[in-house]
Amino acid sequence: MTNAVRKLLAKPWIWSYGGAFLVWLAAIFFTRGYGAGGMITAALSLAVFTVVVGIAQMFVVTLGPGNVDLSLPANIGLASAVAMTVMSGDDDLVAIGILAALACGLAIGTINYLLIWALRIPPIIATLSASFIIQSIDISYGRGLQIKPPPGFADFTNIQIVGLPLLAILTALFTIGASIVLHRTVYGRSVLAIGQNMSAARLAGIKVGLARFATYALSGALGGLDGALLAGYFRGANVDIGNEYLLASIAVVVIGGTSVAGGKANVPGIWGASLFLVLLLTMLNTFGVSPGVRLLLTGLIIVGVITAAGGEKALD
Amino acid sequence: MTVVTTGAMQLKPRAMGRLPRLLRTLLPGLSLALVLAAIAALNPRAISYFGFTLMLNLAVPIALATIAQMFVITGNDLDLSIGAFVGFVGCVTATYLRDAPLFGIILLFGCLAIYAAVGALIHLRNLPSIVVTLGMSFVWQGLSILLLPKPGGRAPDWLLAIMGHKPPLIPFPVLAALIVAAIAHFGLMRTSYGAILRGSGGNAIAISRAGWSLLKAKMALFALAGLFGVLSGLALIGITTSADANIGNGYTLLSIAGVILGGGEFVGGRISPIGAVIGALTLALAASPLLTFMHIPPDWQVAANGAILIVVLAARVLISRAGTER
């Protein structure tokens, strides 16, 4: 028994779930137990969007130091506008709209990698330059766009099965899939190997360029999907809809126990960390603090948690 | 030792011809000249004392924020909070610095201490600077909103006087940019501790073996970033005369772009203070005046920054390739 507990505590992701649980306890303590279940349902619905981009960012970060996708917020914004335009409020066009958002994200991911590859620049700069351009396209194309999502799609993002949001269940399945891809496929193993030592991976015959390309494309596509889902959930596209997901995506990767130095990913931690972040905001909202205090505390808690979780010491 | 002794703009000496190296060094200046030439061709009247004062007005705070970012990049880190920080300094400037100057000054010095502490935290716990500074950006933003929930406040009169200064012959923004570039260049490229600071990014182990404290170097780099962030906020409020909690938000990305445009690199302590200032001026000119003269709607301002970044980086790759093929 104690052995099992010790084994569980040794898992890096357990802490993020513990944090989420503590924050939830604090919130329901404040409301004297009122709305405890509703809070979890709401947190699950909102965490889904962070989990999807978190998984995207996790694959990118696992590629090694300097790999990060800064274009996700702009990508989400543009994809949300594309999805809403293609769907144009028609239930029959939902699938095509989601495909369009995926394609839009995929194109952005491809451009990101093309910039990294052709200009031989760090991914941070490549995705940053790309996001400048995407942001402008979105502002020019998506501003004032007031297309509501098709009613069927909007309802779909809100369906609950015995208190569990359908979207959260689907995302949980997706997370399991991502875990299998990461640990059981040639592609996933390649990503981990590249993150541990790119030269060694190349000498071992891994197609490094292809795996990196696939990762940035995957990240882009997931960003696009997230944009479509967000537009459905929040009843419309918005240029700023993805803004908060830059911090969120990177923070859940780090809090969830994925190594920023690359080569070590943690899929379950993404869920724990996302729930932690969402419940943290819920808790601050139930406390009724002003937006300024909320931002301040969010920042301090994130810095505090990352300090406590600690970066591992560099091996060399 | 190469990193410490050679200039920031130089590539590794191997296989790099003299001409490509020269071209690479001149690239930031060339891009600025190109943008200026385009502006001159579109609107010759803009190339005047008054035109420059107007066009480059906002370039001064951008250049200062870029230098701030450059210090952090020197140590192989990235500061994603500089924009929010400039905004916070702006809010302090437009409120406390005017109404209770002493408290305002203490507050701004406190900011420098926080910056140094963030540097220490990143070094001691070996944390990714992106995440820590992203978290800090929320802290600064929250503090700004608490200080100034609605846009307002007013710049102190002395600050307005400084920023409205009209020196003879050389437009004020140009003069200010020259001074900033000269000070940063001297401090980082010409002093011995500047070499240590660059070395802490170039070869941390060597610097530490030589007996220098990497912790102190990191704290110094972050404190310097804080100092220039404060100057940037002051300059910004001196121009806009009042503040807003979101006033500095665009500066994070602009400052990173400016450093890279100016020939800086992300790793290895390779940076160029003069290049960074030139990069900031290029971005400030290309984003707004050039687009206006070309009758392109302001929606595409951000894209112009991205496009310039990509074009200049592509040019750099072509030059480097020409150099290695020789």
Side-chain angles (χ1 to χ4, degrees), chain A residues 196-222:
Chain A
Q196 280 154 22
N197 190 332
M198 186 138 91
S199 315
R202 187 170 283 133
L203 289 173
I206 291 173
K207 294 193 179 68
V208 171
L210 195 65
R212 292 183 78 199
F213 169 57
T215 306
Y216 279 93
L218 174 75
S219 170
L222 287 178

Side-chain angles (χ1 to χ4, degrees), chain A residues 44-54 76 157 167 171 226 229-231 233-234 245:
Chain A
L44 281 172
S45 324
L46 279 175
V48 161
F49 307 111
T50 312
V51 169
V52 173
V53 281
I76 292 172
T157 56
L167 221 47
T171 309
D226 213 42
L229 294 177
L230 275 168
Y233 188 79
F234 287 112
Y245 290 99

Side-chain angles (χ1 to χ4, degrees), chain A residues 119-122 125 128-129 132 136 140 143 247 250 254 260 292-293 295-296 299-300 306-308 310-314, chain B residues 121 124-128 131 134-135 138-139 141-142 145-146 253 260 266 299-300 302-303 306 309-310 313-314 317 321:
Chain A
L119 301 185
R120 288 187 262 158
I121 49 179
I125 286 298
L128 177 70
S129 331
F132 277 146
S136 272
S140 154
R143 189 182 39 204
L247 174 78
I250 301 176
V254 179
V260 189
V293 176
L295 281 168
L296 177 66
L300 285 177
I306 287 161
T307 308
E312 59 265 61
K313 289 276 165 283
Chain B
L121 182 72
L124 290 174
R125 298 286 297 161
N126 197 17
L127 297 173
V131 196
L134 212 49
F138 277 55
V139 173
Q141 180 101 46
I145 293 177
L146 286 176
L253 301 182
I260 302 300
F266 256 143
D299 287 357
W300 296 95
V302 203
L309 207 52
I310 291 173
L313 289 171
V317 170
R321 193 166 290 170

Side-chain angles (χ1 to χ4, degrees), chain A residues 16-31:
Chain A
S16 55
Y17 286 90
F21 184 66
L22 281 181
V23 175
W24 176 70
L25 278 187
I28 57 170
F29 182 73
F30 187 80
T31 62

